[in-house]
Amino acid sequence: MVRTCSKMWAVALTVLLSAAAPARALNIFACEPEWASLAKELAPEADIYSATTAYQDPHYVQARPSLIAKLRRADLFVCSGSELEIGWLPALQMRANNSKVRDGQPGAFYAAEQVERLDVLGKVDRSMGDVHGGGNPHVHWSPTRIEQIAKALTQRLIVIEPANAERYQQQLASFLQRWQTQREQWAAQASSLNGVQVVSYHTSYRYLYDWLGIEQVGDLEPKPGLPPTSGHLASLVSLHKQKPYQLIIYASYQDGKAANWLSSKTGTAVLGLPYSVDPNKEQLVDLFGLYQTAIDQLLAAVAADG
């Protein structure tokens, strides 16, 4: 009898401890910090890890053992897609051997697949350089696309954790309200940027320019993915004589050497724009800060140019 009672108490204690133990947080692997930031808006209780920083080229990432381990434990990954991570994400998926985050599963979420992309190409070959046939993948620079991606990501979170559906919908509603209010303010603030002509490094800000009406008239790369050459930079000097552009822009993960050289030959201002969220910098801590900082810097650079 004593032994039976002891067993009953042991079972009861196990049940109580299980009920008291907190549920395991959803584990989210973000390929880039912009998607880690969005995931935090929608799932603040989740355990979120960003594979890259704002100062890394997201095209080229080493499939390190630490990244493999993180993806192995993930319930969901959130990546740009449109071939941005084609050089490293498939290798991570294969080595992580996590069935939850295989392509086609609910745990595999590609942001660019949720929206209409710019610069979709019908035919791609090596002679064109490192182009993305499925369209420009840098969709986090489009505020309206961010809204669409947030809605799609919320639905994916609900598929993975249906018990938390109401919570996720509430987080989405809060984010969209704040984002749409800010988007209108940004558009008004940046209206003077419409028609500004720039030369950029790569097409990293294609969606930002499309939104603000900025015209990219030249690229520091002779072809996508190829480093600037002296001959190509000389052609951009000639372009400035025919069509004076107001800014030379490169991203925080790109080398500014070519931009500074071109500036020295044309007298055009150089601007190193932040590319993504940096949780360690107050002004770039989230998507709101990233957008505001980029707009402030663009306005200041154009104003200084006169």
Side-chain angles (χ1 to χ4, degrees), residues 85-118:
E85 305 95 354
I86 193 67
W88 56 278
L89 182 58
L92 281 185
Q93 289 174 290
M94 180 181 67
R95 295 174 188 174
N97 195 26
N98 180 351
S99 60
K100 294 180 182 178
V101 294
R102 289 174 183 159
D103 285 0
Q105 296 302 309
F109 183 90
Y110 293 103
E113 291 182 0
Q114 317 306 318
V115 296
E116 181 181 358
R117 279 150 279 167
L118 300 176

mmCIF file of all heavy atoms in Angstrom, residues 85-118:
data_model
loop_
_atom_site.group_PDB
_atom_site.id
_atom_site.type_symbol
_atom_site.label_atom_id
_atom_site.label_comp_id
_atom_site.label_asym_id
_atom_site.label_seq_id
_atom_site.Cartn_x
_atom_site.Cartn_y
_atom_site.Cartn_z
ATOM 1 N N GLU A 85 20.428 33.774 -51.095
ATOM 2 C CA GLU A 85 21.228 32.886 -50.257
ATOM 3 C C GLU A 85 21.583 31.569 -50.952
ATOM 4 O O GLU A 85 21.953 30.601 -50.302
ATOM 5 C CB GLU A 85 20.464 32.573 -48.957
ATOM 6 C CG GLU A 85 20.034 33.800 -48.164
ATOM 7 C CD GLU A 85 18.600 34.256 -48.470
ATOM 8 O OE1 GLU A 85 17.988 33.670 -49.401
ATOM 9 O OE2 GLU A 85 18.119 35.174 -47.796
ATOM 10 N N ILE A 86 21.486 31.555 -52.278
ATOM 11 C CA ILE A 86 21.665 30.314 -53.019
ATOM 12 C C ILE A 86 23.051 29.702 -52.812
ATOM 13 O O ILE A 86 23.243 28.483 -52.909
ATOM 14 C CB ILE A 86 21.408 30.535 -54.539
ATOM 15 C CG1 ILE A 86 21.287 29.198 -55.287
ATOM 16 C CG2 ILE A 86 22.500 31.397 -55.151
ATOM 17 C CD1 ILE A 86 20.081 28.404 -54.929
ATOM 18 N N GLY A 87 24.035 30.542 -52.499
ATOM 19 C CA GLY A 87 25.402 30.059 -52.340
ATOM 20 C C GLY A 87 25.682 29.401 -51.003
ATOM 21 O O GLY A 87 26.739 28.774 -50.844
ATOM 22 N N TRP A 88 24.754 29.513 -50.044
ATOM 23 C CA TRP A 88 25.064 28.948 -48.716
ATOM 24 C C TRP A 88 23.888 28.302 -47.988
ATOM 25 O O TRP A 88 24.075 27.351 -47.239
ATOM 26 C CB TRP A 88 25.668 30.024 -47.822
ATOM 27 C CG TRP A 88 24.856 31.278 -47.641
ATOM 28 C CD1 TRP A 88 24.790 32.354 -48.503
ATOM 29 C CD2 TRP A 88 24.001 31.613 -46.538
ATOM 30 N NE1 TRP A 88 23.961 33.320 -48.007
ATOM 31 C CE2 TRP A 88 23.461 32.901 -46.791
ATOM 32 C CE3 TRP A 88 23.652 30.959 -45.367
ATOM 33 C CZ2 TRP A 88 22.587 33.543 -45.923
ATOM 34 C CZ3 TRP A 88 22.781 31.594 -44.484
ATOM 35 C CH2 TRP A 88 22.256 32.867 -44.768
ATOM 36 N N LEU A 89 22.667 28.762 -48.212
ATOM 37 C CA LEU A 89 21.539 28.206 -47.467
ATOM 38 C C LEU A 89 21.267 26.737 -47.813
ATOM 39 O O LEU A 89 21.030 25.927 -46.898
ATOM 40 C CB LEU A 89 20.287 29.053 -47.688
ATOM 41 C CG LEU A 89 19.044 28.597 -46.922
ATOM 42 C CD1 LEU A 89 19.294 28.569 -45.412
ATOM 43 C CD2 LEU A 89 17.850 29.499 -47.249
ATOM 44 N N PRO A 90 21.286 26.327 -49.081
ATOM 45 C CA PRO A 90 21.050 24.904 -49.369
ATOM 46 C C PRO A 90 22.043 23.981 -48.667
ATOM 47 O O PRO A 90 21.675 22.894 -48.215
ATOM 48 C CB PRO A 90 21.188 24.829 -50.897
ATOM 49 C CG PRO A 90 20.820 26.200 -51.368
ATOM 50 C CD PRO A 90 21.372 27.122 -50.326
ATOM 51 N N ALA A 91 23.304 24.426 -48.566
ATOM 52 C CA ALA A 91 24.312 23.623 -47.864
ATOM 53 C C ALA A 91 23.972 23.508 -46.386
ATOM 54 O O ALA A 91 24.124 22.437 -45.778
ATOM 55 C CB ALA A 91 25.695 24.241 -48.047
ATOM 56 N N LEU A 92 23.490 24.596 -45.798
ATOM 57 C CA LEU A 92 23.077 24.556 -44.398
ATOM 58 C C LEU A 92 21.904 23.604 -44.199
ATOM 59 O O LEU A 92 21.876 22.819 -43.243
ATOM 60 C CB LEU A 92 22.669 25.954 -43.923
ATOM 61 C CG LEU A 92 23.756 26.963 -43.561
ATOM 62 C CD1 LEU A 92 23.104 28.230 -43.008
ATOM 63 C CD2 LEU A 92 24.722 26.402 -42.550
ATOM 64 N N GLN A 93 20.925 23.696 -45.085
ATOM 65 C CA GLN A 93 19.753 22.819 -44.974
ATOM 66 C C GLN A 93 20.154 21.348 -45.050
ATOM 67 O O GLN A 93 19.654 20.521 -44.274
ATOM 68 C CB GLN A 93 18.747 23.143 -46.085
ATOM 69 C CG GLN A 93 18.039 24.473 -45.921
ATOM 70 C CD GLN A 93 17.174 24.791 -47.132
ATOM 71 O OE1 GLN A 93 17.680 25.068 -48.219
ATOM 72 N NE2 GLN A 93 15.873 24.739 -46.948
ATOM 73 N N MET A 94 21.045 21.049 -45.961
ATOM 74 C CA MET A 94 21.457 19.660 -46.142
ATOM 75 C C MET A 94 22.192 19.150 -44.897
ATOM 76 O O MET A 94 21.914 18.055 -44.396
ATOM 77 C CB MET A 94 22.352 19.533 -47.371
ATOM 78 C CG MET A 94 22.829 18.107 -47.646
ATOM 79 S SD MET A 94 23.905 18.007 -49.098
ATOM 80 C CE MET A 94 25.346 18.916 -48.509
ATOM 81 N N ARG A 95 23.101 19.961 -44.377
ATOM 82 C CA ARG A 95 23.911 19.510 -43.244
ATOM 83 C C ARG A 95 23.134 19.543 -41.931
ATOM 84 O O ARG A 95 23.397 18.743 -41.033
ATOM 85 C CB ARG A 95 25.167 20.383 -43.145
ATOM 86 C CG ARG A 95 26.099 20.218 -44.342
ATOM 87 C CD ARG A 95 27.256 21.182 -44.303
ATOM 88 N NE ARG A 95 28.030 21.133 -45.536
ATOM 89 C CZ ARG A 95 29.038 21.961 -45.830
ATOM 90 N NH1 ARG A 95 29.394 22.894 -44.959
ATOM 91 N NH2 ARG A 95 29.674 21.851 -46.961
ATOM 92 N N ALA A 96 22.184 20.451 -41.824
ATOM 93 C CA ALA A 96 21.386 20.512 -40.600
ATOM 94 C C ALA A 96 20.462 19.308 -40.493
ATOM 95 O O ALA A 96 20.145 18.845 -39.397
ATOM 96 C CB ALA A 96 20.578 21.801 -40.565
ATOM 97 N N ASN A 97 20.010 18.794 -41.648
ATOM 98 C CA ASN A 97 19.137 17.610 -41.688
ATOM 99 C C ASN A 97 17.921 17.786 -40.779
ATOM 100 O O ASN A 97 17.581 16.892 -39.990
ATOM 101 C CB ASN A 97 19.925 16.358 -41.295
ATOM 102 C CG ASN A 97 19.188 15.081 -41.657
ATOM 103 O OD1 ASN A 97 18.374 15.054 -42.581
ATOM 104 N ND2 ASN A 97 19.448 14.006 -40.916
ATOM 105 N N ASN A 98 17.282 18.940 -40.909
ATOM 106 C CA ASN A 98 16.093 19.274 -40.114
ATOM 107 C C ASN A 98 14.884 19.259 -41.040
ATOM 108 O O ASN A 98 14.732 20.143 -41.889
ATOM 109 C CB ASN A 98 16.275 20.640 -39.457
ATOM 110 C CG ASN A 98 15.092 21.071 -38.612
ATOM 111 O OD1 ASN A 98 14.036 20.444 -38.628
ATOM 112 N ND2 ASN A 98 15.252 22.161 -37.883
ATOM 113 N N SER A 99 14.032 18.281 -40.887
ATOM 114 C CA SER A 99 12.894 18.131 -41.797
ATOM 115 C C SER A 99 11.930 19.302 -41.722
ATOM 116 O O SER A 99 11.189 19.570 -42.679
ATOM 117 C CB SER A 99 12.148 16.828 -41.499
ATOM 118 O OG SER A 99 11.655 16.825 -40.166
ATOM 119 N N LYS A 100 11.921 20.023 -40.609
ATOM 120 C CA LYS A 100 10.995 21.147 -40.445
ATOM 121 C C LYS A 100 11.300 22.282 -41.410
ATOM 122 O O LYS A 100 10.395 23.030 -41.810
ATOM 123 C CB LYS A 100 11.057 21.690 -39.014
ATOM 124 C CG LYS A 100 10.577 20.751 -37.937
ATOM 125 C CD LYS A 100 10.705 21.429 -36.574
ATOM 126 C CE LYS A 100 10.284 20.525 -35.445
ATOM 127 N NZ LYS A 100 10.461 21.199 -34.135
ATOM 128 N N VAL A 101 12.580 22.457 -41.779
ATOM 129 C CA VAL A 101 12.971 23.630 -42.570
ATOM 130 C C VAL A 101 13.437 23.260 -43.971
ATOM 131 O O VAL A 101 14.195 23.989 -44.603
ATOM 132 C CB VAL A 101 14.067 24.444 -41.835
ATOM 133 C CG1 VAL A 101 13.521 25.044 -40.557
ATOM 134 C CG2 VAL A 101 15.293 23.580 -41.530
ATOM 135 N N ARG A 102 12.962 22.130 -44.468
ATOM 136 C CA ARG A 102 13.221 21.803 -45.869
ATOM 137 C C ARG A 102 12.288 22.630 -46.750
ATOM 138 O O ARG A 102 11.172 22.951 -46.360
ATOM 139 C CB ARG A 102 12.988 20.311 -46.117
ATOM 140 C CG ARG A 102 14.039 19.416 -45.482
ATOM 141 C CD ARG A 102 13.693 17.965 -45.636
ATOM 142 N NE ARG A 102 14.673 17.109 -44.947
ATOM 143 C CZ ARG A 102 14.438 15.872 -44.565
ATOM 144 N NH1 ARG A 102 13.251 15.321 -44.804
ATOM 145 N NH2 ARG A 102 15.373 15.166 -43.950
ATOM 146 N N ASP A 103 12.743 22.956 -47.932
ATOM 147 C CA ASP A 103 11.910 23.716 -48.862
ATOM 148 C C ASP A 103 10.585 22.986 -49.088
ATOM 149 O O ASP A 103 10.556 21.764 -49.262
ATOM 150 C CB ASP A 103 12.628 23.898 -50.198
ATOM 151 C CG ASP A 103 13.724 24.945 -50.117
ATOM 152 O OD1 ASP A 103 13.924 25.516 -49.028
ATOM 153 O OD2 ASP A 103 14.395 25.181 -51.141
ATOM 154 N N GLY A 104 9.507 23.750 -49.079
ATOM 155 C CA GLY A 104 8.183 23.170 -49.245
ATOM 156 C C GLY A 104 7.489 22.860 -47.929
ATOM 157 O O GLY A 104 6.280 22.620 -47.922
ATOM 158 N N GLN A 105 8.241 22.895 -46.828
ATOM 159 C CA GLN A 105 7.668 22.667 -45.507
ATOM 160 C C GLN A 105 7.271 24.004 -44.867
ATOM 161 O O GLN A 105 7.801 25.053 -45.231
ATOM 162 C CB GLN A 105 8.671 21.940 -44.613
ATOM 163 C CG GLN A 105 9.029 20.539 -45.094
ATOM 164 C CD GLN A 105 7.805 19.648 -45.212
ATOM 165 O OE1 GLN A 105 7.005 19.536 -44.287
ATOM 166 N NE2 GLN A 105 7.648 19.029 -46.377
ATOM 167 N N PRO A 106 6.340 23.992 -43.899
ATOM 168 C CA PRO A 106 5.920 25.245 -43.249
ATOM 169 C C PRO A 106 7.075 26.012 -42.615
ATOM 170 O O PRO A 106 7.032 27.241 -42.509
ATOM 171 C CB PRO A 106 4.931 24.766 -42.179
ATOM 172 C CG PRO A 106 4.396 23.484 -42.711
ATOM 173 C CD PRO A 106 5.541 22.839 -43.434
ATOM 174 N N GLY A 107 8.132 25.306 -42.222
ATOM 175 C CA GLY A 107 9.259 25.970 -41.571
ATOM 176 C C GLY A 107 10.223 26.668 -42.499
ATOM 177 O O GLY A 107 11.214 27.257 -42.037
ATOM 178 N N ALA A 108 9.972 26.616 -43.812
ATOM 179 C CA ALA A 108 10.821 27.308 -44.786
ATOM 180 C C ALA A 108 10.052 28.502 -45.343
ATOM 181 O O ALA A 108 9.085 28.326 -46.089
ATOM 182 C CB ALA A 108 11.226 26.354 -45.910
ATOM 183 N N PHE A 109 10.475 29.703 -44.974
ATOM 184 C CA PHE A 109 9.756 30.917 -45.384
ATOM 185 C C PHE A 109 10.701 31.844 -46.130
ATOM 186 O O PHE A 109 11.702 32.311 -45.582
ATOM 187 C CB PHE A 109 9.190 31.626 -44.157
ATOM 188 C CG PHE A 109 8.362 32.856 -44.479
ATOM 189 C CD1 PHE A 109 6.992 32.752 -44.689
ATOM 190 C CD2 PHE A 109 8.955 34.104 -44.578
ATOM 191 C CE1 PHE A 109 6.222 33.872 -44.984
ATOM 192 C CE2 PHE A 109 8.203 35.240 -44.872
ATOM 193 C CZ PHE A 109 6.836 35.121 -45.079
ATOM 194 N N TYR A 110 10.381 32.105 -47.397
ATOM 195 C CA TYR A 110 11.162 33.023 -48.225
ATOM 196 C C TYR A 110 10.361 34.305 -48.436
ATOM 197 O O TYR A 110 9.294 34.290 -49.057
ATOM 198 C CB TYR A 110 11.491 32.382 -49.572
ATOM 199 C CG TYR A 110 12.429 31.196 -49.472
ATOM 200 C CD1 TYR A 110 11.954 29.896 -49.585
ATOM 201 C CD2 TYR A 110 13.792 31.391 -49.266
ATOM 202 C CE1 TYR A 110 12.804 28.805 -49.500
ATOM 203 C CE2 TYR A 110 14.660 30.310 -49.183
ATOM 204 C CZ TYR A 110 14.157 29.019 -49.295
ATOM 205 O OH TYR A 110 15.016 27.940 -49.208
ATOM 206 N N ALA A 111 10.873 35.409 -47.938
ATOM 207 C CA ALA A 111 10.143 36.679 -47.965
ATOM 208 C C ALA A 111 9.823 37.134 -49.386
ATOM 209 O O ALA A 111 8.705 37.583 -49.666
ATOM 210 C CB ALA A 111 10.952 37.752 -47.236
ATOM 211 N N ALA A 112 10.791 37.028 -50.293
ATOM 212 C CA ALA A 112 10.579 37.533 -51.651
ATOM 213 C C ALA A 112 9.491 36.777 -52.393
ATOM 214 O O ALA A 112 8.864 37.319 -53.311
ATOM 215 C CB ALA A 112 11.895 37.472 -52.440
ATOM 216 N N GLU A 113 9.244 35.531 -51.996
ATOM 217 C CA GLU A 113 8.204 34.745 -52.657
ATOM 218 C C GLU A 113 6.798 35.216 -52.297
ATOM 219 O O GLU A 113 5.825 34.822 -52.947
ATOM 220 C CB GLU A 113 8.353 33.266 -52.289
ATOM 221 C CG GLU A 113 9.582 32.607 -52.885
ATOM 222 C CD GLU A 113 9.668 31.130 -52.550
ATOM 223 O OE1 GLU A 113 8.764 30.630 -51.843
ATOM 224 O OE2 GLU A 113 10.631 30.484 -52.990
ATOM 225 N N GLN A 114 6.691 36.049 -51.289
ATOM 226 C CA GLN A 114 5.374 36.507 -50.827
ATOM 227 C C GLN A 114 4.913 37.771 -51.550
ATOM 228 O O GLN A 114 3.776 38.214 -51.344
ATOM 229 C CB GLN A 114 5.414 36.788 -49.318
ATOM 230 C CG GLN A 114 6.145 35.759 -48.490
ATOM 231 C CD GLN A 114 5.644 34.344 -48.693
ATOM 232 O OE1 GLN A 114 4.426 34.118 -48.767
ATOM 233 N NE2 GLN A 114 6.565 33.381 -48.781
ATOM 234 N N VAL A 115 5.779 38.360 -52.384
ATOM 235 C CA VAL A 115 5.467 39.657 -53.001
ATOM 236 C C VAL A 115 5.855 39.666 -54.472
ATOM 237 O O VAL A 115 6.606 38.810 -54.945
ATOM 238 C CB VAL A 115 6.218 40.801 -52.270
ATOM 239 C CG1 VAL A 115 5.741 40.928 -50.832
ATOM 240 C CG2 VAL A 115 7.727 40.584 -52.307
ATOM 241 N N GLU A 116 5.366 40.669 -55.158
ATOM 242 C CA GLU A 116 5.789 40.898 -56.544
ATOM 243 C C GLU A 116 7.185 41.505 -56.525
ATOM 244 O O GLU A 116 7.441 42.475 -55.813
ATOM 245 C CB GLU A 116 4.811 41.839 -57.241
ATOM 246 C CG GLU A 116 5.153 42.107 -58.691
ATOM 247 C CD GLU A 116 4.177 43.060 -59.367
ATOM 248 O OE1 GLU A 116 3.208 43.475 -58.694
ATOM 249 O OE2 GLU A 116 4.390 43.394 -60.536
ATOM 250 N N ARG A 117 8.082 40.945 -57.319
ATOM 251 C CA ARG A 117 9.465 41.418 -57.331
ATOM 252 C C ARG A 117 9.755 42.291 -58.551
ATOM 253 O O ARG A 117 9.140 42.130 -59.599
ATOM 254 C CB ARG A 117 10.421 40.223 -57.332
ATOM 255 C CG ARG A 117 10.648 39.601 -55.972
ATOM 256 C CD ARG A 117 10.944 38.116 -56.062
ATOM 257 N NE ARG A 117 9.704 37.350 -56.205
ATOM 258 C CZ ARG A 117 9.649 36.070 -56.546
ATOM 259 N NH1 ARG A 117 10.747 35.414 -56.811
ATOM 260 N NH2 ARG A 117 8.502 35.449 -56.633
ATOM 261 N N LEU A 118 10.698 43.181 -58.397
ATOM 262 C CA LEU A 118 11.172 44.010 -59.496
ATOM 263 C C LEU A 118 12.302 43.283 -60.227
ATOM 264 O O LEU A 118 12.992 42.445 -59.648
ATOM 265 C CB LEU A 118 11.681 45.355 -58.975
ATOM 266 C CG LEU A 118 10.677 46.237 -58.230
ATOM 267 C CD1 LEU A 118 11.362 47.497 -57.696
ATOM 268 C CD2 LEU A 118 9.509 46.623 -59.136
#
